[in-house]
Amino acid sequence: MFRTTLLALSAALLLRVAASAQTIPTPKEHFGFNIGDDYQLATFTQTEAYVKKLAASPRTKLTVIGKTEEGRDQFMMIVTSPENHKKLARYQEISTKLARAEGLTEQQARAMAEEGKAVVWIDGGLHATETVGTHQLIETAYQLVSRNDPETMRILDNVVILLTHANPDGQELVSNWYMRNPTPEKRSLDNLPRLYEKYAGHDNNRDFYIMNLKESQNIGRQLFVDWIPQIMYNHHQRGPAGSVLAGPPYRDPFNYVFDPLMITGIDAVGAAMYNRLNVENKPGYTRLNGSVFSTWYNGGLRTTTHFHNMIGLLTEIVGGPTPENIPLIPSRLIPNGNTPNPVTPQRWKFRQSIDYSVSLNYAVLDYAARQHDQLLYNIYRMGKNSIERGSQDYWTLSPKRVESINELYQADQKKATSTNATPTSSTTTPGSTTAPGSTTAISDQAPAPRGEGVPVKYFTAVLKDSSLRDPRGYIIPSNQTDWPTAVKFVNALIKTGIQVQQATADFSVAGKTYPLGSYVVKLDQAFRPHVLDMFEPQDHPNDFQYPGGPPIRPYDAAGWTLAYQMNVDFDRLLTAFDGPFKKLPYGELQTPTSKMSGSGAGYVLNSQINNSFIAVNDLLKAGIDVYRMPTGSGKVAAGSFYVPTSAKAKSILDASGMVVTSTGKRPGSAKKVTPMRIGLWDTYGGSMASGWVRWLMEQYHYPAQLVYAQDIDAGNLKKKYDVIVFVTRAIPAVGNARGENEYGGAATRGPKPEEIPADYRPWLGRITADKSVPQLRQFMEAGGQVVTIGTSTNLAYHLDLPVRNALVDMGPNGQERPLNNEKYFIPGSILRVALDSTQQATWGMPTLTDVYFDSSPVFKLAPEAIAKGLVKPLMWFPNDKPLRSGWAWGQAYLRDGVTAFMAPVGAGKLYAFGPEITFRAQAHGTFKLLFNQLYGLTE
Ligand SMILES: [Zn+2]
């Protein structure tokens, strides 16, 4: 019986193999065109149908890693030899165990590296208008499934390949948009009506340390929890003009928290990539300073992997379905270290970009096939390095530390010249103790080598100062006020594969008692660079084109410390500690528990807790009365909510994830909350900043309506809205009457109405000084409220409010002019501001808080205007050193500058927030500055 079954089974298997070889269609047979044919794009629907056909091959296993924001299935196709597929679970286990490097001996690690297969991730389509991305993925899948050459067979034998679609919704939107024109030569990607990721568009590649979006969560689960590949390859477009593509290695600065082996691992795989192109006579690869891509930032699909010891690769290639030209850029014609093999000007076809991409994928896969044991061992080595660094006193070098070595030395030199003493005798070395790992080969008192260098004692003074050690871990106390937000932060760590522990009982560390349920994140873990990055400031170097010259703009943010952005309370422990901690399973998300206490006449919802606003919106929706208490109640903050006790209210609060107390009767000063009709500005083509706020409104249960320039210009706004929110880049600067260049993309160029489907025409247009601003003024005069964020605070200037730009100096003819970049430059960074938290606009906020600042507006308010109540400051810079994380060149100019204010306009109000208070839906610490403005209060 057993025997016959087995025979029948293997016969069936043989049949399946034979059948699949015949039934796998070429792309042309399936799509009706070859991948890379001119003027042809495949939709996601067609692509999904194709990969289902490829799934018939014994080399593949098709998996769905989750639903997208628009409800599509996001696929990942696992490709490897049929033999390897049988042991897939074992190879997956080896990959994750070596990456985490927990509890393995050197011998075990070597043996597992020998036994395992390299795991390589290749994705496509994250940025949907970069059409080479999805199409190279289709072509690569087909070639890996159908080719039988020795190289392909070696790859299949030694590598497990994870081919992942990064943005199905975007491909469907973009391909249908392009293909809608029946005349191929007239097809165009221009003027896409909306964002190609439902909420974030291009910012879907800025979401990976927090993973707000479903696609990021699906991808993150595979990358950081389930597989932890040694190499990941993220395809983008496009490189600098005059090249075909930009790829690894990348320009500086690289982040000083990285394991160096990760960076040199990128070098090694990068070399395999451009080497192969040269073998195949494919010129035009540029690297390093040949392009703008660096490794400083965390949060990109590629860059978050760098903080997890993965070799994260990015290429940015030219090309698309409509043929184009490689332009003549004379400065790029001479070979150099950045571009060893320049391309010459020529006509460029989609198929060439597909061929390049397949070659690059094969270069990576061939490297992985040949070096699979080394790749597996190396990721283990990096994880082990992290565990070792986190298990002892360790000092991470950062630019400011190095600067302070120089400062200390120069101060002594100066003193020595003035007192005529020798520099080495004039300084004590604070804290220069017996740190492990200190430089034992060179004596502290060793003089500098002749003509160069600084005596080593200055190194010791700064870099072995025990108070400057890296922490051994962090404690996130469960008795902090906004606990549900702290849990969201912990979940962001868990989603990126961080090992988190939780206290099973009350405990004490360093003289402080912490309650049961507190979370503990230790630094003796493989992904230590990521943990440091989420809790500690980023110390961006002062990066200039030349000394005294203009700054080199970071590729994205300079500082982003998530714990600061979310205003999470945590303690840094500089010495080893332990307690009744249990390790949470990797990837297991946490839920804060709701608790009701007391039996008074009403519930109190603390205005300091973000989830209170979700609960309030649910209560209002259920028709339950909610009140706000302007002076708080007992221990709770001003602006906290009061809800009369009822079974219905209790059932809503039971699901809030908060500790809700009850109190006696409603305070006489309490005011009734009325829901507002909320308008959120958006535009044709979509605004990412607006999309993130739309996401936020949905998460916090605010029913918001999108409002476009045409709606504003049509007037009668008070009939439809109580409050309108303008995110950054909605409202043009004064003097820019037509709103040009304020918002990039389609909104600026704008298609002609007849060029687009009728459904989208109401979205066209932009906010203007002559048509829109008078309507907004009327709206406010009639009692409406307008909330402006970032550059949309321009509205204050249009309304001639008594505010001025604070970031100016005197020009040669005694006239104020904006500060130039050589004096003042603050790209995306975290700064600390002071607040007046007695104002309704700032209820629930602390008196000092961190804000995300990105070259944001700062104002000077006329003192007499403040005295007359014409304008009310809400947030300002209390000192000349507000930088918390990132880069703030010339930050002293910020001192006393006002970053947020409220101004009455008729019966209504204008709120102006310079900093990005809703930044990419990450800045939980400042969400309340928006939420507070979304309720009406009546007596
Ligand atoms: Zn891109």
Side-chain angles (χ1 to χ4, degrees), residues 127 130 236-237:
H127 289 157
E130 301 167 8
H236 285 263
Q237 294 184 237

Short mmCIF file of all heavy atoms in Angstrom, two decimals, residues 127 130 236-237, ligand 1:
data_model
loop_
_atom_site.label_atom_id
_atom_site.label_comp_id
_atom_site.label_asym_id
_atom_site.label_seq_id
_atom_site.Cartn_x
_atom_site.Cartn_y
_atom_site.Cartn_z
N HIS A 127 8.23 52.57 -6.18
CA HIS A 127 7.81 53.83 -6.77
C HIS A 127 7.22 53.53 -8.14
O HIS A 127 7.96 53.27 -9.09
CB HIS A 127 8.99 54.79 -6.86
CG HIS A 127 9.42 55.29 -5.52
ND1 HIS A 127 10.67 55.78 -5.25
CD2 HIS A 127 8.72 55.38 -4.35
CE1 HIS A 127 10.73 56.15 -3.97
NE2 HIS A 127 9.56 55.90 -3.41
N GLU A 130 8.29 54.59 -11.59
CA GLU A 130 9.61 54.10 -12.01
C GLU A 130 9.38 52.71 -12.59
O GLU A 130 9.59 51.69 -11.93
CB GLU A 130 10.55 54.12 -10.80
CG GLU A 130 10.68 55.53 -10.22
CD GLU A 130 11.34 55.59 -8.84
OE1 GLU A 130 11.85 54.56 -8.36
OE2 GLU A 130 11.34 56.69 -8.24
N HIS A 236 15.12 51.25 -8.25
CA HIS A 236 14.53 52.59 -8.43
C HIS A 236 14.98 53.23 -9.73
O HIS A 236 15.84 52.72 -10.42
CB HIS A 236 14.94 53.53 -7.28
CG HIS A 236 14.25 53.27 -6.00
ND1 HIS A 236 13.15 53.96 -5.61
CD2 HIS A 236 14.50 52.36 -5.03
CE1 HIS A 236 12.76 53.51 -4.42
NE2 HIS A 236 13.55 52.53 -4.06
N GLN A 237 14.40 54.39 -9.99
CA GLN A 237 14.80 55.27 -11.07
C GLN A 237 14.82 56.69 -10.54
O GLN A 237 13.96 57.01 -9.74
CB GLN A 237 13.78 55.24 -12.20
CG GLN A 237 13.72 53.93 -12.89
CD GLN A 237 12.77 53.92 -14.06
OE1 GLN A 237 11.88 53.12 -14.05
NE2 GLN A 237 12.97 54.78 -15.04
ZN ZN B 1 12.32 55.66 -6.42
#
